[in-house]
Amino acid sequence: MAVKLMEPMDRSFWRAVSAEFFATFLFVFLGLGCALSSMSYEGISLCFGLNIFVLAHTFGHVSGAHFNPAVTLALVITRLVTPLRGALYALSQFLAALLASAVLMGVMGLTPDTMGGYNALNGPTGMSHDTKVARGFVFEMMLTCLLLLTVFATIDPKHGKESPGALAIGMAVGVAHFVAVPMTGCGINPARSFGPAMLANAPAAKGDLWVFILAPFIGATLATVYPLWFAEEDLGGNLRSKFSSDNEVKVISSSEHLA
């Protein structure tokens, strides 16, 4: 307990928090920028997936490369991250997403009435709103669960040095976008959904936001079954060692999610 309370006294703690802010800003700026400028589902999906891969490789050894409050929540639940660190990570992620959305809005000449890039529930003509909500909620929940299962599998010591690390995480994000972009725009990240929704005047932007906040958190919580049941060894003892490993496992360390 004393060690946890002393955590904020360590310079590396605040370096990690600032890294989460900066990396989440870049993630939303690049991903949302692509969504605002591209009409291709494939292009958007590849952009988000590659974006995560690059940023996890860059900041994984600094903060653990969460970039997503749902990831942070799952790691707090499984005690791989302290509640204090988790709270500050989540706050930095939400603020960074809002700032990135505002900067994009300015540089692209958008107004609240023309601002896009927010997540919304879509469906065929004639589909009831309740059906859209149910479909969107399930997809957001299950795809976030997939992302977190990939995170936990990446840091599972049973994978050893052969784990594809950041690449696996990026591919999970890309696959999720290939599936969900046509239906919801693919949130799977409450911060990414929060940023543009707060700045857009469209009724769906804020009206549907609760789905993109709640569903990923539930999906992340479901994924905690991996370390509790599927993992044969404790995941906590291997995370920092992977971050500090030699060049042979740098790709693994970039996708670890313990700061």
Side-chain angles (χ1 to χ4, degrees):
M1 178 63 70
V3 173
K4 293 179 180 179
L5 292 177
M6 292 296 293
E7 200 175 28
M9 304 301 291
D10 189 347
R11 179 173 175 269
S12 64
F13 176 86
W14 296 106
R15 185 170 57 196
V17 172
S18 62
E20 280 295 305
F21 180 90
F22 187 53
T24 305
F25 176 92
L26 290 174
F27 170 68
V28 175
F29 184 84
L30 296 173
L32 186 59
C34 178
L36 288 171
S37 60
S38 173
M39 296 300 292
S40 166
Y41 293 154
E42 295 82 3
I44 294 171
S45 301
L46 286 172
C47 179
F48 272 93
L50 293 173
N51 196 1
I52 284 292
F53 172 60
V54 171
L55 291 173
H57 176 74
T58 304
F59 291 98
H61 65 290
V62 180
S63 70
H66 296 201
F67 318 148
N68 184 336
V71 172
T72 300
L73 174 65
L75 295 174
V76 170
I77 290 173
T78 53
R79 299 183 180 182
L80 298 176
V81 165
T82 64
L84 176 60
R85 184 183 291 262
L88 289 176
Y89 271 24
L91 178 62
S92 68
Q93 292 154 2
F94 277 111
L95 291 177
L98 183 61
L99 179 61
S101 300
V103 172
L104 268 175
M105 190 173 169
V107 299
M108 298 187 75
L110 301 173
T111 67
D113 291 328
T114 59
M115 180 63 177
Y118 53 85
N119 294 113
L121 301 170
N122 300 308
T125 302
M127 177 179 285
S128 70
H129 180 68
D130 288 345
T131 302
K132 291 179 183 179
V133 169
R135 184 175 75 160
F137 197 99
V138 170
F139 270 101
E140 288 291 315
M141 179 178 66
M142 296 311 298
L143 292 172
T144 306
C145 184
L146 170 66
L147 171 60
L148 266 298
L149 288 172
T150 307
V151 169
F152 286 127
T154 296
I155 59 179
D156 190 332
K158 283 292 185 178
H159 274 297
K161 296 180 180 180
E162 291 74 31
S163 173
L167 178 60
I169 305 298
M171 289 182 68
V173 171
V175 167
H177 279 74
F178 274 115
V179 173
V181 165
M183 289 178 286
T184 66
C186 192
I188 65 170
N189 183 332
R192 174 263 182 267
S193 301
F194 174 80
M198 288 295 99
L199 301 177
N201 282 343
K206 295 180 181 66
D208 294 341
L209 181 60
W210 70 272
V211 172
F212 301 99
I213 299 292
L214 184 58
F217 281 139
I218 294 177
T221 303
L222 291 175
T224 60
V225 69
Y226 188 101
L228 298 176
W229 179 253
F230 294 113
E232 296 181 15
E233 300 180 28
D234 178 29
L235 303 186
N238 295 278
L239 302 177
R240 285 193 181 276
S241 61
K242 286 186 179 181
F243 277 139
S244 60
S245 293
D246 57 23
N247 293 334
E248 186 178 4
V249 290
K250 278 186 177 178
V251 174
I252 298 175
S253 67
S254 64
S255 65
E256 292 168 14
H257 284 69
L258 174 66

